[in-house]
Amino acid sequence: MRLGSIDRACRLLCLTLALGGMGRSALANSSSDPAQLILRDDFEAGRFAPEGGLYYKNNPEQRDGSVTFQSRNVMTGHSALTLSVKPACPPLQRRCSERAEVWETPEVLAGYNQTVWYGFAMFMDDPLPQDDGRYVMAQWKREIIPGAKGDYSPFLALRLYEGHLGVTVETDMIEAFPIGGAARPNGCLPGEALAVNRQAAHQTRALVAIESGMAPANYPAYFDSCAPGIMVTRHADLPSGRKGWIDFVFRSSPGPAGNGHVEIIANGVHVGTVKGHIGHSGPGLDKNQYFKFGPYRAPNPQNWSLTFDDFRRGPRCTDVIRSGQCPAE
């Protein structure tokens, strides 16, 4: 089943809503706390499973994206989900974005102050982008009240920088010391996150995991400061996006006041623990967090595709992990 036009996208959306409506009602009624819901979708049915709590959002930015339930490249089973974007933004329109993202349905969203674990498998289709065009494959954000002003970046994101995987966390702007300055003449102190203070957005972004074989010098030079308010325990590095399927596990537990906690696991290997200021608390923000996955980028002249399989979500690491050990709580 492939969506190559607005009409076909609308038809699939309607089908998804019709087939998933009963499932979402059952999910909503199965617990008084959506964060306790265990969600799974292996994409074997050739559509979004009712018990998965997922849907493809039909908005203007996504209407040029495509969704394919296919069997030619899978992690497990007989079917996986390929999401693709093509050049769609008008020339010179810098604030435009191209995306084909799958979202959690509103009924299953967890509260912003709650802990939720996520698992999913991802395959980066050829050609792998080699530029730094704001590539995001998975992101966690806080809901914004409709009509509110503000542009809040994801508090947790899986990104691609010139072909290299990276994980970032983001928060309201906190103190960061420039590397080479008086406070950090020789680099960050042990555990401090490598960060950039984004003055215009009034947010701090930290690079908290990098790809194996890479060094911070392989990532954008604007990560030029140290943020002691975000502490990173580095256990290992991310696998290369060129080496096939990667099974990710993430703990999402934002805490803008300094009590945030993120865990990163890839292919059963514990990559990193991040604690401190994670997330946003500004005006116009709502009570829930939400997750979405799929290709998101700035305007680009090339096509880009990602394939996903085995989505899982639950209140505990043991609900989603496939291999390796869960981190100690």
Side-chain angles (χ1 to χ4, degrees), residues 10-320:
C10 290
R11 286 201 297 272
L12 179 60
L13 179 63
C14 293
L15 176 63
T16 301
L17 293 175
L19 292 174
M22 293 185 293
R24 290 203 302 275
S25 297
L27 286 173
N29 293 332
S30 65
S31 172
S32 59
D33 181 1
Q36 299 301 309
L37 293 175
I38 295 177
L39 308 177
R40 300 187 185 279
D41 197 338
D42 56 13
F43 310 121
E44 293 293 290
R47 57 174 174 82
F48 295 112
E51 63 273 18
L54 299 174
Y55 76 113
Y56 185 79
K57 190 166 186 176
N58 184 24
N59 61 19
E61 288 183 309
Q62 302 218 141
R63 286 175 185 160
D64 287 307
S66 65
V67 182
T68 308
F69 293 90
Q70 49 81 21
S71 59
R72 65 184 179 275
N73 180 20
V74 302
M75 175 74 168
T76 60
H78 303 286
S79 182
L81 177 65
T82 296
L83 302 167
S84 305
V85 292
K86 62 182 181 181
C89 290
L92 304 179
Q93 193 170 66
R94 295 179 58 189
R95 295 189 63 84
C96 185
S97 62
E98 297 162 348
R99 61 177 85 202
E101 295 176 311
V102 169
W103 298 49
E104 291 179 287
T105 61
E107 294 86 351
V108 305
L109 299 184
Y112 197 62
N113 61 348
Q114 294 179 294
T115 295
V116 189
W117 288 83
Y118 290 84
F120 59 90
M122 184 185 76
F123 185 96
M124 304 199 73
D125 299 351
D126 289 328
L128 192 67
Q130 298 299 307
D131 61 304
D132 186 12
R134 205 170 70 225
Y135 294 100
V136 181
M137 292 81 73
Q139 54 181 302
W140 290 256
K141 301 189 76 172
R142 184 171 184 170
E143 281 189 307
I144 298 178
I145 296 171
K149 296 182 180 180
D151 183 11
Y152 294 94
S153 293
F155 64 82
L156 172 63
L158 177 63
R159 300 176 183 268
L160 191 70
Y161 296 103
E162 297 184 348
H164 309 311
L165 291 177
V167 176
T168 61
V169 300
E170 194 122 2
T171 191
D172 303 323
M173 189 176 289
I174 58 175
E175 188 173 42
F177 300 100
I179 296 173
R184 298 292 186 273
N186 301 313
C188 298
L189 300 180
E192 291 180 339
L194 184 65
V196 54
N197 268 352
R198 301 170 59 228
Q199 300 288 343
H202 204 69
Q203 297 171 61
T204 299
R205 178 176 298 172
L207 180 66
V208 298
I210 62 175
E211 189 176 296
S212 178
M214 298 295 109
N218 298 112
Y219 290 80
Y222 52 71
F223 289 109
D224 61 357
S225 300
C226 308
I230 302 172
M231 298 299 292
V232 182
T233 303
R234 178 180 171 182
H235 308 292
D237 288 327
L238 298 166
S240 170
R242 297 177 177 86
K243 294 186 177 181
W245 284 97
I246 304 172
D247 191 74
F248 287 103
V249 169
F250 288 90
R251 170 183 169 140
S252 171
S253 184
N259 61 333
H261 184 177
V262 164
E263 298 284 357
I264 308 163
I265 301 169
N267 288 339
V269 176
H270 191 191
V271 172
T273 300
V274 187
K275 293 186 177 182
H277 293 266
I278 301 171
H280 307 92
S281 59
L285 294 170
D286 216 338
K287 62 181 181 179
N288 292 326
Q289 58 177 293
Y290 65 94
F291 171 62
K292 53 183 179 174
F293 62 88
Y296 164 90
R297 69 180 184 187
N300 192 283
Q302 304 295 321
N303 294 341
W304 181 38
S305 295
L306 300 169
T307 298
F308 294 87
D309 207 347
D310 294 342
F311 167 75
R312 299 95 69 193
R313 194 197 88 170
R316 298 166 294 273
C317 173
T318 52
D319 297 322
V320 302

